[in-house]
Coordinates of all heavy atoms in Angstrom, one line a residue:
M1 N 6.6 1.1 -21.5 CA 7.2 0.2 -20.6 C 6.7 -1.2 -20.9 O 5.5 -1.4 -21.1 CB 6.8 0.6 -19.2 CG 7.4 -0.4 -18.1 SD 6.9 0.0 -16.4 CE 7.9 1.4 -16.1
K2 N 7.6 -2.1 -21.0 CA 7.2 -3.5 -21.2 C 6.5 -4.1 -20.1 O 6.6 -3.7 -18.9 CB 8.5 -4.4 -21.5 CG 9.2 -4.0 -22.7 CD 10.5 -4.9 -22.8 CE 11.3 -4.5 -24.0 NZ 12.5 -5.4 -24.1
K3 N 5.6 -5.1 -20.3 CA 4.8 -5.7 -19.3 C 5.7 -6.3 -18.2 O 5.4 -6.2 -17.0 CB 3.9 -6.8 -19.9 CG 2.7 -6.2 -20.6 CD 1.7 -7.3 -21.0 CE 0.5 -6.6 -21.7 NZ -0.5 -7.6 -22.0
E4 N 6.8 -6.9 -18.6 CA 7.7 -7.6 -17.7 C 8.3 -6.5 -16.7 O 8.4 -6.7 -15.5 CB 8.9 -8.2 -18.4 CG 8.4 -9.4 -19.3 CD 8.0 -9.0 -20.7 OE1 8.1 -7.8 -21.0 OE2 7.5 -9.9 -21.4
D5 N 8.6 -5.3 -17.3 CA 9.1 -4.2 -16.4 C 8.1 -3.8 -15.5 O 8.4 -3.5 -14.3 CB 9.6 -3.1 -17.3 CG 10.8 -3.5 -18.2 OD1 11.5 -4.4 -17.8 OD2 11.0 -2.8 -19.2
R6 N 6.9 -3.7 -15.9 CA 5.8 -3.2 -15.0 C 5.5 -4.1 -13.9 O 5.4 -3.8 -12.8 CB 4.5 -3.0 -15.9 CG 3.3 -2.5 -15.1 CD 3.5 -1.1 -14.6 NE 2.3 -0.6 -13.9 CZ 2.3 -0.2 -12.7 NH1 3.4 -0.1 -12.0 NH2 1.1 0.1 -12.1
V7 N 5.5 -5.5 -14.2 CA 5.3 -6.5 -13.2 C 6.5 -6.4 -12.2 O 6.2 -6.5 -11.0 CB 5.2 -7.9 -13.8 CG1 5.2 -9.0 -12.8 CG2 3.9 -8.0 -14.6
A8 N 7.7 -6.3 -12.6 CA 8.9 -6.2 -11.8 C 8.7 -4.9 -10.8 O 9.0 -5.0 -9.7 CB 10.1 -6.1 -12.6
E9 N 8.2 -3.8 -11.4 CA 8.1 -2.6 -10.7 C 7.1 -2.8 -9.6 O 7.2 -2.4 -8.4 CB 7.6 -1.5 -11.6 CG 7.3 -0.2 -10.9 CD 6.7 0.8 -12.0 OE1 7.5 1.3 -12.8 OE2 5.5 1.1 -11.9
L10 N 6.0 -3.5 -9.8 CA 4.9 -3.8 -8.9 C 5.5 -4.7 -7.7 O 5.3 -4.4 -6.6 CB 3.7 -4.5 -9.5 CG 2.9 -3.6 -10.4 CD1 1.8 -4.4 -11.1 CD2 2.3 -2.4 -9.6
F11 N 6.2 -5.7 -8.1 CA 6.8 -6.6 -7.1 C 7.8 -5.8 -6.2 O 7.9 -6.0 -5.0 CB 7.4 -7.9 -7.6 CG 6.4 -9.0 -7.9 CD1 6.1 -9.3 -9.1 CD2 5.9 -9.6 -6.8 CE1 5.1 -10.3 -9.3 CE2 5.0 -10.6 -6.9 CZ 4.6 -11.0 -8.3
K12 N 8.5 -4.9 -6.8 CA 9.5 -4.2 -6.1 C 8.8 -3.2 -5.1 O 9.2 -3.1 -3.9 CB 10.3 -3.3 -7.1 CG 11.4 -2.4 -6.4 CD 12.2 -1.7 -7.4 CE 13.3 -0.9 -6.7 NZ 14.1 -0.1 -7.6
A13 N 7.7 -2.7 -5.4 CA 6.9 -1.9 -4.5 C 6.4 -2.7 -3.4 O 6.1 -2.2 -2.3 CB 5.7 -1.2 -5.3
L14 N 6.1 -4.0 -3.6 CA 5.6 -4.9 -2.5 C 6.7 -5.4 -1.7 O 6.5 -6.1 -0.7 CB 4.8 -6.0 -3.2 CG 3.6 -5.6 -3.9 CD1 2.9 -6.8 -4.6 CD2 2.6 -4.9 -3.1
G15 N 8.0 -5.1 -2.0 CA 9.1 -5.8 -1.4 C 9.5 -5.3 -0.1 O 10.7 -5.3 0.2
H16 N 8.6 -4.9 0.7 CA 8.9 -4.5 2.1 C 7.8 -4.8 3.0 O 6.6 -4.6 2.7 CB 9.2 -2.9 2.2 CG 9.9 -2.5 3.4 ND1 9.2 -2.4 4.6 CD2 11.2 -2.2 3.7 CE1 10.1 -2.0 5.6 NE2 11.3 -1.9 5.0
P17 N 8.1 -5.4 4.2 CA 7.0 -5.8 5.1 C 6.0 -4.7 5.5 O 4.9 -4.9 5.7 CB 7.8 -6.4 6.3 CG 9.1 -6.7 5.8 CD 9.4 -5.8 4.7
T18 N 6.6 -3.5 5.7 CA 5.7 -2.4 6.1 C 4.7 -2.0 5.0 O 3.5 -1.8 5.3 CB 6.5 -1.1 6.4 OG1 7.4 -1.4 7.5 CG2 5.7 0.1 6.7
R19 N 5.1 -2.2 3.7 CA 4.2 -1.9 2.6 C 3.1 -3.0 2.5 O 2.0 -2.7 2.2 CB 5.0 -1.7 1.3 CG 5.8 -0.4 1.3 CD 6.3 0.0 0.0 NE 7.4 -0.9 -0.5 CZ 8.7 -0.6 -0.3 NH1 9.1 0.4 0.5 NH2 9.6 -1.4 -0.8
V20 N 3.5 -4.2 2.8 CA 2.6 -5.3 2.9 C 1.6 -5.0 4.0 O 0.3 -5.2 3.7 CB 3.3 -6.7 3.0 CG1 2.2 -7.8 3.3 CG2 4.2 -7.0 1.8
K21 N 2.0 -4.6 5.1 CA 1.1 -4.3 6.2 C 0.2 -3.1 5.9 O -1.1 -3.2 6.2 CB 1.9 -3.9 7.5 CG 2.6 -5.1 8.1 CD 3.4 -4.7 9.3 CE 4.2 -5.8 9.9 NZ 5.1 -5.4 10.9
I22 N 0.7 -2.1 5.2 CA -0.1 -1.0 4.8 C -1.2 -1.5 3.9 O -2.4 -1.1 4.0 CB 0.7 0.1 4.1 CG1 1.6 0.8 5.2 CG2 -0.2 1.1 3.4 CD1 2.6 1.7 4.6
L23 N -0.9 -2.3 2.9 CA -1.9 -2.8 2.0 C -2.9 -3.7 2.6 O -4.1 -3.7 2.3 CB -1.2 -3.5 0.8 CG -0.5 -2.6 -0.2 CD1 0.3 -3.4 -1.1 CD2 -1.5 -1.7 -0.9
E24 N -2.5 -4.5 3.5 CA -3.4 -5.4 4.3 C -4.4 -4.5 5.0 O -5.6 -4.8 5.1 CB -2.7 -6.3 5.3 CG -2.0 -7.4 4.6 CD -1.1 -8.3 5.5 OE1 -0.8 -7.8 6.6 OE2 -0.8 -9.4 5.2
Y25 N -4.0 -3.5 5.7 CA -4.8 -2.5 6.4 C -5.7 -1.8 5.4 O -7.0 -1.7 5.7 CB -4.0 -1.5 7.2 CG -4.8 -0.7 8.1 CD1 -5.7 -1.2 9.1 CD2 -4.6 0.7 8.1 CE1 -6.4 -0.4 9.9 CE2 -5.4 1.5 9.0 CZ -6.3 1.0 9.9 OH -7.0 1.8 10.7
L26 N -5.2 -1.4 4.3 CA -6.1 -0.7 3.3 C -7.0 -1.6 2.6 O -8.1 -1.2 2.1 CB -5.2 0.0 2.2 CG -4.5 1.2 2.7 CD1 -3.6 1.7 1.5 CD2 -5.4 2.4 3.2
S27 N -6.8 -2.9 2.7 CA -7.8 -3.9 2.1 C -9.1 -3.9 2.8 O -10.1 -4.3 2.3 CB -7.2 -5.3 2.0 OG -7.1 -5.8 3.3
E28 N -9.1 -3.4 4.1 CA -10.3 -3.2 4.8 C -11.2 -2.0 4.3 O -12.4 -1.9 4.7 CB -10.0 -3.0 6.3 CG -9.3 -4.2 6.9 CD -8.8 -3.8 8.3 OE1 -9.1 -2.8 8.9 OE2 -8.1 -4.7 8.9
G29 N -10.6 -1.1 3.6 CA -11.2 0.1 3.1 C -10.4 1.3 3.2 O -9.2 1.2 3.7
E30 N -10.8 2.4 2.7 CA -10.1 3.7 2.6 C -9.7 4.1 4.1 O -10.5 4.0 5.0 CB -10.9 4.7 2.0 CG -10.2 6.0 1.8 CD -11.1 7.1 1.1 OE1 -11.8 7.8 1.8 OE2 -11.0 7.2 -0.1
K31 N -8.5 4.5 4.2 CA -7.9 5.0 5.5 C -7.2 6.3 5.3 O -6.5 6.5 4.3 CB -7.0 3.9 6.1 CG -7.5 2.6 6.2 CD -8.5 2.4 7.3 CE -9.0 0.9 7.4 NZ -10.2 0.8 8.1
C32 N -7.2 7.1 6.3 CA -6.4 8.4 6.3 C -5.0 8.0 6.8 O -4.9 7.1 7.6 CB -7.1 9.4 7.1 SG -8.6 10.0 6.4
V33 N -4.1 8.8 6.5 CA -2.7 8.5 6.9 C -2.5 8.4 8.3 O -1.8 7.5 8.8 CB -1.7 9.5 6.2 CG1 -1.8 10.9 6.8 CG2 -0.3 9.0 6.2
K34 N -3.2 9.2 9.1 CA -3.1 9.2 10.6 C -3.6 7.8 11.1 O -2.9 7.2 12.0 CB -3.9 10.3 11.2 CG -3.8 10.3 12.7 CD -4.5 11.5 13.3 CE -4.4 11.4 14.9 NZ -5.2 12.5 15.5
D35 N -4.6 7.3 10.5 CA -5.1 6.0 10.9 C -4.1 4.9 10.6 O -3.9 4.0 11.4 CB -6.4 5.6 10.2 CG -7.5 6.6 10.4 OD1 -7.6 7.1 11.6 OD2 -8.3 6.9 9.5
I36 N -3.4 5.0 9.5 CA -2.5 4.0 9.1 C -1.3 4.0 10.0 O -0.9 2.9 10.5 CB -1.9 4.3 7.6 CG1 -3.1 4.1 6.6 CG2 -0.8 3.3 7.3 CD1 -2.8 4.6 5.2
W37 N -0.7 5.1 10.3 CA 0.5 5.1 11.2 C 0.1 4.8 12.6 O 0.9 4.1 13.3 CB 1.4 6.3 11.1 CG 0.9 7.7 11.5 CD1 0.4 8.6 10.6 CD2 0.9 8.3 12.8 NE1 0.1 9.8 11.3 CE2 0.4 9.6 12.6 CE3 1.2 7.8 14.0 CZ2 0.2 10.4 13.7 CZ3 1.0 8.7 15.1 CH2 0.5 10.0 15.0
Q38 N -1.1 5.1 13.0 CA -1.5 4.7 14.4 C -1.7 3.2 14.5 O -1.3 2.6 15.4 CB -2.7 5.5 14.8 CG -2.4 7.0 15.2 CD -3.7 7.7 15.6 OE1 -4.8 7.4 15.2 NE2 -3.4 8.7 16.4
E39 N -2.3 2.7 13.5 CA -2.6 1.2 13.5 C -1.3 0.4 13.4 O -1.2 -0.6 14.1 CB -3.5 0.9 12.2 CG -3.7 -0.6 12.0 CD -4.6 -1.3 13.0 OE1 -5.4 -0.6 13.8 OE2 -4.6 -2.5 13.1
L40 N -0.4 0.8 12.6 CA 0.9 0.1 12.4 C 1.9 0.4 13.5 O 2.8 -0.4 13.7 CB 1.5 0.4 11.1 CG 0.7 0.0 9.8 CD1 1.4 0.4 8.6 CD2 0.3 -1.4 9.9
G41 N 1.7 1.5 14.3 CA 2.6 1.8 15.4 C 4.0 2.2 14.9 O 4.9 1.9 15.6
I42 N 4.0 2.8 13.7 CA 5.3 3.3 13.2 C 5.2 4.8 12.9 O 4.1 5.3 12.8 CB 5.8 2.5 12.0 CG1 4.8 2.6 10.9 CG2 6.2 1.1 12.3 CD1 5.2 1.8 9.6
P43 N 6.3 5.5 12.9 CA 6.3 7.0 12.7 C 5.7 7.4 11.4 O 5.8 6.8 10.4 CB 7.8 7.4 12.8 CG 8.5 6.3 13.4 CD 7.7 5.0 13.1
Q44 N 5.0 8.5 11.5 CA 4.3 9.1 10.3 C 5.2 9.3 9.1 O 4.8 8.9 8.0 CB 3.5 10.4 10.7 CG 2.7 11.0 9.6 CD 3.5 12.0 8.7 OE1 4.4 12.6 9.2 NE2 3.2 12.0 7.4
P45 N 6.4 9.8 9.3 CA 7.3 10.0 8.1 C 7.7 8.7 7.5 O 7.7 8.6 6.2 CB 8.6 10.7 8.7 CG 8.1 11.3 9.9 CD 7.0 10.4 10.5
T46 N 7.8 7.6 8.2 CA 8.2 6.3 7.7 C 6.9 5.8 6.9 O 7.1 5.3 5.8 CB 8.5 5.3 8.8 OG1 9.6 5.8 9.5 CG2 8.8 3.9 8.3
V47 N 5.7 5.9 7.4 CA 4.5 5.5 6.7 C 4.4 6.3 5.3 O 4.1 5.8 4.3 CB 3.3 5.7 7.5 CG1 2.0 5.5 6.7 CG2 3.3 4.8 8.7
S48 N 4.7 7.6 5.4 CA 4.6 8.4 4.3 C 5.5 8.0 3.2 O 5.2 8.0 2.0 CB 4.8 9.9 4.6 OG 3.7 10.4 5.4
Q49 N 6.7 7.6 3.5 CA 7.7 7.2 2.6 C 7.2 5.9 1.9 O 7.3 5.8 0.6 CB 9.1 6.9 3.2 CG 9.8 8.1 3.6 CD 11.1 7.8 4.4 OE1 11.3 6.6 4.8 NE2 11.8 8.8 4.8
H50 N 6.7 5.0 2.6 CA 6.2 3.7 2.0 C 4.9 4.0 1.2 O 4.8 3.3 0.1 CB 5.9 2.7 3.1 CG 7.2 2.1 3.7 ND1 8.0 1.3 3.1 CD2 7.7 2.3 5.0 CE1 9.1 1.0 3.9 NE2 8.8 1.6 5.0
I51 N 4.1 4.8 1.6 CA 2.9 5.2 0.9 C 3.3 5.8 -0.5 O 2.7 5.5 -1.5 CB 2.0 6.1 1.7 CG1 1.2 5.3 2.8 CG2 1.0 6.9 0.8 CD1 0.4 6.2 3.7
N52 N 4.3 6.6 -0.5 CA 4.7 7.3 -1.8 C 5.2 6.2 -2.7 O 4.9 6.3 -4.0 CB 5.8 8.3 -1.5 CG 5.3 9.5 -0.9 OD1 4.1 9.9 -1.1 ND2 6.1 10.3 -0.2
I53 N 5.9 5.2 -2.3 CA 6.3 4.1 -3.2 C 5.1 3.4 -3.7 O 5.1 3.1 -5.0 CB 7.3 3.1 -2.4 CG1 8.6 3.9 -2.1 CG2 7.5 1.9 -3.2 CD1 9.5 3.1 -1.1
L54 N 4.1 3.0 -2.9 CA 2.9 2.4 -3.4 C 2.1 3.2 -4.3 O 1.6 2.7 -5.3 CB 2.1 1.9 -2.2 CG 2.7 0.9 -1.3 CD1 1.8 0.8 0.0 CD2 2.8 -0.4 -2.0
R55 N 2.1 4.5 -4.1 CA 1.4 5.5 -4.9 C 2.1 5.6 -6.3 O 1.4 5.6 -7.3 CB 1.3 6.8 -4.2 CG 0.0 7.5 -4.4 CD -0.2 8.7 -3.5 NE 1.0 9.5 -3.4 CZ 1.3 10.6 -4.2 NH1 0.6 10.9 -5.2 NH2 2.4 11.3 -4.0
E56 N 3.4 5.8 -6.3 CA 4.1 5.9 -7.5 C 4.0 4.6 -8.4 O 4.0 4.7 -9.6 CB 5.6 6.1 -7.2 CG 5.9 7.5 -6.7 CD 7.3 7.8 -6.2 OE1 8.1 6.9 -6.4 OE2 7.5 8.9 -5.7
A57 N 3.8 3.5 -7.8 CA 3.6 2.2 -8.5 C 2.2 2.1 -9.0 O 1.9 1.2 -9.8 CB 4.0 1.0 -7.6
G58 N 1.3 3.0 -8.6 CA -0.1 2.9 -9.0 C -0.9 1.9 -8.3 O -2.1 1.6 -8.6
I59 N -0.4 1.4 -7.1 CA -1.1 0.4 -6.4 C -2.2 1.1 -5.5 O -3.3 0.5 -5.3 CB -0.1 -0.4 -5.5 CG1 0.8 -1.2 -6.4 CG2 -0.8 -1.4 -4.6 CD1 2.0 -1.8 -5.8
I60 N -1.9 2.2 -5.0 CA -2.9 3.0 -4.2 C -3.0 4.4 -4.8 O -2.2 4.8 -5.5 CB -2.5 3.0 -2.7 CG1 -1.2 3.8 -2.5 CG2 -2.4 1.7 -2.1 CD1 -0.8 4.1 -1.0
S61 N -4.2 5.0 -4.4 CA -4.4 6.4 -4.8 C -4.9 7.1 -3.5 O -5.1 6.5 -2.5 CB -5.4 6.5 -5.9 OG -6.7 6.0 -5.4
F62 N -5.0 8.4 -3.7 CA -5.4 9.2 -2.5 C -6.5 10.3 -2.9 O -6.7 10.5 -4.1 CB -4.2 9.9 -1.9 CG -3.7 11.1 -2.7 CD1 -4.0 12.4 -2.4 CD2 -2.8 10.8 -3.8 CE1 -3.5 13.4 -3.2 CE2 -2.3 11.9 -4.6 CZ -2.7 13.1 -4.2
R63 N -7.1 10.8 -1.9 CA -8.0 11.9 -2.0 C -7.8 12.8 -0.8 O -7.5 12.3 0.3 CB -9.4 11.6 -2.3 CG -10.1 10.9 -1.0 CD -11.5 10.6 -1.3 NE -12.1 10.0 0.0 CZ -12.5 10.7 1.0 NH1 -12.6 12.1 1.0 NH2 -13.0 10.1 2.0
K64 N -8.0 14.1 -1.0 CA -7.9 15.1 0.1 C -9.3 15.2 0.7 O -10.3 15.4 0.0 CB -7.3 16.4 -0.5 CG -5.9 16.4 -0.8 CD -5.0 16.4 0.4 CE -3.6 16.7 0.0 NZ -2.8 16.7 1.2
E65 N -9.3 15.3 2.0 CA -10.5 15.6 2.8 C -10.2 16.7 3.7 O -9.8 16.4 4.9 CB -10.9 14.3 3.5 CG -12.3 14.4 4.1 CD -12.7 13.1 4.8 OE1 -13.1 12.2 4.1 OE2 -12.6 13.0 6.0
G66 N -10.2 17.9 3.3 CA -9.7 19.1 4.1 C -8.2 19.0 4.2 O -7.5 18.9 3.2
V67 N -7.7 18.9 5.4 CA -6.3 18.7 5.6 C -5.9 17.3 5.7 O -4.7 17.0 5.7 CB -5.8 19.4 6.9 CG1 -6.1 20.9 6.8 CG2 -6.6 18.9 8.2
K68 N -6.8 16.4 5.7 CA -6.5 15.0 5.7 C -6.3 14.3 4.3 O -6.8 14.8 3.3 CB -7.7 14.1 6.3 CG -8.0 14.4 7.7 CD -9.2 13.5 8.1 CE -9.6 13.7 9.5 NZ -10.7 12.8 9.9
T69 N -5.4 13.4 4.3 CA -5.2 12.7 3.0 C -5.6 11.2 3.3 O -5.0 10.6 4.2 CB -3.7 12.7 2.6 OG1 -3.3 14.1 2.5 CG2 -3.5 12.1 1.3
C70 N -6.5 10.7 2.4 CA -7.0 9.4 2.6 C -6.6 8.5 1.4 O -6.6 9.0 0.3 CB -8.5 9.4 2.7 SG -9.1 10.3 4.2
Y71 N -6.3 7.3 1.7 CA -5.7 6.4 0.7 C -6.6 5.2 0.5 O -7.3 4.7 1.4 CB -4.3 5.9 1.1 CG -3.3 7.0 1.1 CD1 -3.1 7.8 2.3 CD2 -2.6 7.3 -0.1 CE1 -2.2 8.8 2.2 CE2 -1.8 8.4 -0.1 CZ -1.5 9.1 1.0 OH -0.7 10.2 1.0
R72 N -6.6 4.6 -0.7 CA -7.4 3.4 -1.1 C -6.6 2.7 -2.1 O -5.7 3.2 -2.8 CB -8.7 3.8 -1.6 CG -8.7 4.6 -2.9 CD -10.1 5.0 -3.4 NE -10.0 6.0 -4.4 CZ -9.8 7.3 -4.3 NH1 -9.7 7.8 -3.1 NH2 -9.8 8.1 -5.3
I73 N -6.9 1.4 -2.2 CA -6.3 0.5 -3.1 C -6.8 0.7 -4.5 O -8.1 0.7 -4.7 CB -6.4 -1.0 -2.6 CG1 -5.6 -1.2 -1.3 CG2 -5.9 -1.9 -3.7 CD1 -5.7 -2.5 -0.7
E74 N -6.0 0.8 -5.5 CA -6.4 1.0 -6.9 C -6.2 -0.3 -7.7 O -6.8 -0.5 -8.7 CB -5.6 2.1 -7.6 CG -6.0 3.5 -7.2 CD -7.5 3.8 -7.6 OE1 -7.8 3.5 -8.8 OE2 -8.2 4.4 -6.8
M75 N -5.4 -1.2 -7.2 CA -5.2 -2.5 -7.8 C -5.5 -3.6 -6.8 O -4.6 -4.3 -6.2 CB -3.7 -2.6 -8.2 CG -3.3 -1.6 -9.2 SD -1.6 -1.8 -9.8 CE -1.7 -3.2 -10.8
P76 N -6.8 -4.0 -6.7 CA -7.2 -5.1 -5.8 C -6.5 -6.4 -6.1 O -6.3 -7.2 -5.2 CB -8.7 -5.2 -6.0 CG -9.1 -4.0 -6.8 CD -7.9 -3.4 -7.4
I77 N -6.1 -6.6 -7.3 CA -5.4 -7.9 -7.6 C -4.1 -8.1 -6.8 O -3.7 -9.1 -6.4 CB -5.1 -8.0 -9.2 CG1 -4.5 -9.3 -9.5 CG2 -4.1 -6.9 -9.6 CD1 -5.6 -10.4 -9.5
V78 N -3.5 -7.0 -6.5 CA -2.3 -7.0 -5.6 C -2.6 -7.6 -4.3 O -1.8 -8.4 -3.7 CB -1.7 -5.6 -5.5 CG1 -0.6 -5.6 -4.4 CG2 -1.2 -5.1 -6.8
V79 N -3.7 -7.3 -3.7 CA -4.1 -7.8 -2.4 C -4.3 -9.3 -2.5 O -3.9 -10.1 -1.7 CB -5.3 -7.1 -1.8 CG1 -5.8 -7.8 -0.6 CG2 -5.0 -5.7 -1.5
K80 N -5.0 -9.7 -3.6 CA -5.2 -11.2 -3.8 C -3.9 -11.9 -4.0 O -3.8 -13.0 -3.5 CB -6.1 -11.4 -5.1 CG -7.5 -10.9 -4.9 CD -8.3 -11.1 -6.2 CE -9.6 -10.5 -6.1 NZ -10.4 -10.6 -7.4
I81 N -3.0 -11.3 -4.7 CA -1.6 -12.0 -4.9 C -1.0 -12.1 -3.5 O -0.4 -13.2 -3.2 CB -0.8 -11.2 -5.9 CG1 -1.4 -11.3 -7.3 CG2 0.7 -11.6 -5.8 CD1 -0.8 -10.3 -8.3
M82 N -1.0 -11.1 -2.7 CA -0.4 -11.1 -1.4 C -1.0 -12.2 -0.5 O -0.3 -12.9 0.1 CB -0.5 -9.8 -0.7 CG 0.4 -8.7 -1.2 SD 0.4 -7.1 -0.3 CE -1.1 -7.2 0.7
K83 N -2.3 -12.3 -0.6 CA -3.0 -13.4 0.2 C -2.6 -14.8 -0.2 O -2.3 -15.6 0.6 CB -4.5 -13.2 0.1 CG -5.0 -12.0 0.9 CD -6.5 -11.9 0.9 CE -7.0 -10.7 1.7 NZ -8.4 -10.5 1.6
L84 N -2.5 -14.9 -1.5 CA -2.1 -16.2 -2.1 C -0.7 -16.6 -1.7 O -0.4 -17.7 -1.2 CB -2.2 -16.3 -3.6 CG -3.6 -16.3 -4.2 CD1 -3.6 -16.1 -5.7 CD2 -4.3 -17.7 -3.9
L85 N 0.2 -15.6 -1.7 CA 1.6 -15.8 -1.3 C 1.7 -16.2 0.2 O 2.5 -17.0 0.6 CB 2.5 -14.6 -1.6 CG 2.8 -14.4 -3.1 CD1 3.4 -13.1 -3.4 CD2 3.7 -15.6 -3.6
K86 N 0.9 -15.5 1.0 CA 1.0 -15.7 2.5 C 0.5 -17.1 2.8 O 1.0 -17.8 3.7 CB 0.1 -14.7 3.2 CG 0.9 -13.3 3.3 CD 0.1 -12.3 4.1 CE 0.1 -12.7 5.6 NZ -0.5 -11.7 6.5
E87 N -0.5 -17.6 2.0 CA -1.0 -18.9 2.3 C 0.0 -20.0 1.9 O 0.1 -21.0 2.6 CB -2.3 -19.2 1.4 CG -3.5 -18.5 1.9 CD -4.7 -18.6 0.9 OE1 -4.6 -19.4 0.0 OE2 -5.7 -17.9 1.1
E88 N 0.8 -19.7 0.9 CA 1.9 -20.6 0.5 C 3.1 -20.7 1.5 O 3.7 -21.7 1.7 CB 2.5 -20.2 -0.9 CG 1.5 -20.6 -2.0 CD 1.3 -22.1 -2.1 OE1 2.3 -22.9 -2.1 OE2 0.2 -22.6 -2.3
V89 N 3.3 -19.6 2.2 CA 4.5 -19.5 3.1 C 4.2 -19.9 4.5 O 5.0 -20.0 5.3 CB 5.2 -18.2 3.0 CG1 5.8 -18.0 1.6 CG2 4.4 -17.0 3.4
E90 N 2.9 -19.9 4.9 CA 2.5 -20.2 6.2 C 2.5 -21.7 6.5 O 2.5 -22.5 5.8 CB 1.1 -19.7 6.5 CG 1.1 -18.2 6.5 CD -0.3 -17.6 6.8 OE1 -1.2 -17.9 6.1 OE2 -0.3 -16.8 7.7

């Protein structure tokens, strides 16, 4: 995959407000999926769909803890980019 394609793929994964909120919440540290949907106040299936997009893009990863699935950011640069963009639009 060309670098340009990879960058476009990452921006596409960031292209939804819910995914931005998920990443902002995960920037505080690893969270289990239940914590994420409770914090954001949106249904668990919706959170799972957005998490899958972020995971497929390689932005976040997960680990199993018994029956729980916990997520963490694998690409901290993405959070920095989001913060910079938010500063520009505010």
Side-chain angles (χ1 to χ4, degrees):
M1 178 181 287
K2 293 180 184 178
K3 285 186 180 184
E4 297 84 4
D5 294 336
R6 180 69 177 122
V7 170
E9 178 184 287
L10 291 171
F11 275 110
K12 184 177 178 182
L14 297 174
H16 194 282
T18 299
R19 293 192 286 272
V20 172
K21 289 176 187 176
I22 289 169
L23 289 172
E24 288 175 338
Y25 187 52
L26 288 177
S27 72
E28 299 171 6
E30 183 179 86
K31 308 286 184 197
C32 293
V33 71
K34 182 179 179 184
D35 299 326
I36 297 168
W37 62 262
Q38 286 181 333
E39 174 70 19
L40 299 180
I42 56 178
Q44 183 271 326
T46 302
V47 169
S48 293
Q49 289 174 355
H50 288 292
I51 283 175
N52 284 336
I53 292 168
L54 294 169
R55 219 170 42 88
E56 288 173 6
I59 297 171
I60 63 174
S61 63
F62 72 97
R63 70 177 179 84
K64 290 284 194 176
E65 186 178 285
V67 295
K68 293 181 183 179
T69 304
C70 299
Y71 293 90
R72 64 184 168 276
I73 294 176
E74 284 296 316
M75 296 182 77
I77 187 71
V78 170
V79 175
K80 290 179 185 177
I81 291 167
M82 286 185 343
K83 286 181 182 179
L84 287 170
L85 287 170
K86 282 182 78 174
E87 288 174 9
E88 284 296 316
V89 296
E90 291 182 303

